[in-house]
Every structure is written in C-alpha cells, then in structure tokens.
Amino acid sequence: MKNRQKQTTIPLQTEANARYTADQWAAIHLEGDNLLVSASAGSGKTSVLVQRILQKVRRGYGVDELLVVTFTEKAASEMKERLEVALQEMINEESDPDSRQHYLQQIAKLPQANISTIDAFCKQVIQRYYFLIDLDPVYRLITDETENMMHFENVWEALKEDLLAEGNPDYLRMSKHFASDRKDDKIDQLIFDLYNKSR
C-alpha cells in the first residue's frame, strides 16, 4: 500500500472524533507546510502527534520513514505503545487486505522506528556517519556538574584566545569596559552568568 495521496483539505470532524479541538484537528491533518504545534503540558500533544503519524500511515507511509523526537525516553516509549495499540485497532477494523498488510508491517517496524529523544537520535547519527561529520563515535555525556563546569571553562578559554588573536572588536570593546587590572575575571563571570541565564 503506497498511495501517499497528498491531502489538500482537512476532513470534517464527526461526533466520533469530537474529542479534538479545531486546532488539534488541523495539527493532525494539515499537510504540505511547516507546522508548529505549541501547547502546555497535559494538553494532548502526544495524542495529536500519534494521530498525525497514523494519518501518514493510512496514506501509505511507513513508520520507519518518519523522524519523531520527544523530550524524554518515557514519552518516546509511551508513543510507541500508543501507536502499536492504534495500529492493532486499525488492522482489526480494516477489510482491505493490502491495507491490513501495510498496518501489520508498521507494527513490525515500530521497534526500529526513529521515535526517540533528540539526543538519542543525534547519538545514532554520530555513530552511523562519524566518518562524514568528523566526530569521534566513541563519546560519553558529561553528567558531573564539576566536570561540566571545567569543560565550559576550557571551551571559553580557547574561544577567548581566538577572539584576542583575531582582534575581535566586540570582545576588545567588552574587555575595555569590564576587565580590571589586566584580569578577565569580571568578563569570565559575565559570560558564565549570561550562559547560565540563557539555559
């Protein structure tokens, strides 16, 4: 089943699917444009995203052709579980043998589908394409706060040296206003504070 029909209109809501708001319904069915869905916690984003994925599957796409990123492993796992349940329901309700076969294939592909956290996806990209992107595939995440701060200071020191070596006018102006007695302590603290606030 590879119909992949381009959807130009949004289907009408019925009583059966009235649990979705008009905006949620549009988020599920809109195609062909960049789409930003912004909503607070507990507002049904996961449910809307699951329905959006199912709409693509109904139109002939495979779950292995989609990239779905979440903030937590728990959310990714929950999404896969919801998709499996919904696909099973679609199989039970489907009379067309080709469509049933397509839905069965999607359940089999779910464990390998790109439904994960953004960092898990980035890890996969690095490990698969390290030779193209010039990054070491053997790395670890910095989880210790002290080690993280030391790494940050090393990066900042290297960047500072580059800015001084090139005579960066913005850095020189900042240094003129904030440095004291030829020391950069105040500048360092300012940069650290800005970095922490931006996070």
Side-chain angles (χ1 to χ4, degrees), residues 32-65:
D33 294 303
N34 292 326
L35 182 66
L36 172 65
V37 177
S38 176
S40 59
S43 59
K45 291 187 298 295
T46 302
S47 177
V48 167
L49 190 51
V50 165
Q51 289 304 315
R52 187 170 173 81
I53 293 166
L54 293 172
Q55 287 307 314
K56 290 193 174 291
V57 169
R58 284 186 182 100
R59 291 178 39 237
Y61 288 89
V63 293
D64 56 332
E65 297 176 86

Side-chain angles (χ1 to χ4, degrees), residues 33 44 59 69 84-86 97 101 122 124 127 129-130 134 162 167-169 174 185 190-191:
D33 294 303
R59 291 178 39 237
V69 292
E84 184 173 1
V85 169
Q101 183 60 33
C122 291
Q124 186 182 50
Q127 290 176 337
Y129 300 108
Y130 67 92
D134 197 28
D162 290 346
N168 183 284
M174 184 175 66
D185 295 353
L190 176 68
I191 294 299

